[in-house]
Amino acid sequence: HTPLFLAALLGHTDCVRAVIERSGGIVHVQGLELHAAVRSGQIDIVDQIISAAPGTLETRDSKGLRPMHLAAALGRNDLVQR
């Protein structure tokens, strides 16, 4: 997993911000970083990743779920409405 994935999954907002800042705002994701942020339930991390890499909204996990589908499945309507 990438440092961004682990920071997002563990809810480390400052680490997520640092990774994004050090990349110059250009985030190369492997695809599941936003899914990890959704799982952590950290709205600010979700927002940071979407802002830095909006294409991550279209990624699918191994079950075929996009991040917002995962949020809905987890009952996180606050994330779905972003």
Side-chain angles (χ1 to χ4, degrees), residues 27-60:
V27 179
H28 299 284
V29 296
Q30 291 183 343
L32 298 178
E33 287 80 359
L34 186 54
H35 288 77
V38 167
R39 286 194 181 283
S40 77
Q42 300 291 325
I43 292 174
D44 51 340
I45 293 176
V46 169
D47 289 343
Q48 287 181 53
I49 294 174
I50 291 172
S51 292
T56 59
L57 286 166
E58 300 302 319
T59 60
R60 294 180 185 265

Side-chain angles (χ1 to χ4, degrees), residues 7-27:
L9 183 64
L10 298 173
H12 295 295
T13 306
D14 292 339
C15 292
V16 169
R17 186 175 301 111
V19 169
I20 291 171
E21 286 175 0
R22 287 180 190 219
S23 70
I26 301 169
V27 179

